[in-house]
Amino acid sequence: MPEPAGGYPILLHLQDRQVAVVGGGRVGARKVKHLLRTGARVLLVSPEASADLQALAAEGAIDWIAVPYRRDLLNDYMPVLVIATTSDPLVNQTIAQDAHRIRALCNVADGSSDDSDFSNMALIEKPPLTIALSSNGRSPALVRQLKRQLSAELGDEYAILAGWLGTLRASQPDDLRSQEDRRTLYEDIVTSEVLALLRAGDRDKAKRVFQQILLEGASE
């Protein structure tokens, strides 16, 4: 029997996009908070909500419709992404059907439904870095172990260097002659002693080495 096809991993850009979370419990709260970090506009649909979700609604961080989900409720808001987190499988199925009718991506958070367009991956987040792990459903236990191991080994030096490289990409896109020049420069930086210096806590020297590599790359 052939192996089932795996998923296609993506990182959705949701800044200023409308999304909806249906269900105001613990899972819903976790989804809402993560979506807010993406810059999305979050709509919560639930007759009740946890205290932290109520606080977010009170401060205007999210819109909260305090009613049970009803058929076609999403039509007035047209979210691009819908997450169903209610405890009722039939309600979750209705949410997924409605989401598909308006061509929104949908995830049923309990993981037991075939109505989901995607599954969530285990995340290691050290902004601006995001590392996602999945076994395509084969072994959640293995994924949890990998996450623990990688989280322990991945220090803040990687996030610091990622920030420096991001600034470089944004501020100096035309300083180098070609894409190959830029690729070579970035390789020179990440394979240099910069990471080791950051790991040792010598941020000033690491920045000096970083800048020296930039100068050498620009003069070639």
Side-chain angles (χ1 to χ4, degrees):
M1 181 180 296
E3 284 287 314
Y8 186 79
I10 60 173
L11 189 67
L12 290 176
H13 297 162
L14 295 173
Q15 180 72 40
D16 295 325
R17 307 294 294 276
Q18 181 70 69
V19 302
V21 175
V22 185
R26 178 179 55 83
V27 176
R30 187 171 70 247
K31 301 296 183 181
V32 165
K33 291 172 185 176
H34 200 163
L35 287 165
L36 285 174
R37 294 201 296 271
T38 72
R41 294 182 287 114
V42 179
L43 170 70
L44 173 67
V45 181
S46 181
E48 298 179 351
S50 61
D52 45 353
L53 287 176
Q54 291 183 44
L56 288 171
E59 66 190 39
I62 64 173
D63 294 320
W64 177 25
I65 302 177
V67 298
Y69 187 81
R70 62 178 184 274
R71 173 68 76 180
D72 293 329
L73 184 150
L74 299 173
N75 291 6
D76 292 333
Y77 302 92
M78 297 300 290
V80 298
L81 175 68
V82 178
I83 300 179
T85 74
T86 82
S87 59
D88 188 330
L90 292 178
V91 173
N92 288 340
Q93 184 179 57
T94 299
I95 295 164
Q97 291 169 350
D98 288 355
H100 293 150
R101 270 198 294 275
I102 61 173
R103 299 186 178 183
L105 290 173
C106 183
N107 175 255
V108 178
D110 64 15
S112 63
S113 173
D114 293 331
D115 295 312
S116 290
D117 296 306
F118 63 94
S119 57
N120 291 293
M121 294 188 280
L123 297 181
I124 301 171
E125 295 182 290
K126 287 185 176 292
L129 290 177
T130 298
I131 298 173
L133 302 169
S134 173
S135 66
N136 282 310
R138 273 34 166 222
S139 179
L142 178 60
V143 170
R144 288 193 295 270
Q145 174 59 24
L146 282 171
K147 179 178 179 179
R148 286 191 292 266
Q149 183 175 338
L150 290 173
S151 296
E153 295 178 359
L154 191 68
D156 291 337
E157 66 270 15
Y158 290 95
I160 294 170
L161 181 54
W164 291 354
L165 290 170
T167 300
L168 171 62
R169 289 177 65 90
S171 63
Q172 297 181 326
D174 300 322
D175 286 355
L176 298 168
R177 292 183 297 277
S178 67
Q179 183 176 353
E180 184 61 33
D181 290 331
R182 292 192 291 272
R183 183 182 297 112
T184 298
L185 175 64
Y186 299 143
E187 288 291 336
D188 288 345
I189 292 171
V190 299
T191 58
S192 72
E193 62 177 329
V194 170
L195 278 171
L197 289 168
L198 287 171
R199 192 177 300 116
D202 197 342
R203 183 165 179 160
D204 290 340
K205 186 174 180 181
K207 193 59 177 285
R208 289 196 299 271
V209 173
F210 178 86
Q211 292 170 336
Q212 182 61 36
I213 296 172
L214 294 185
L215 289 174
E216 293 172 356
S219 64
E220 293 179 356

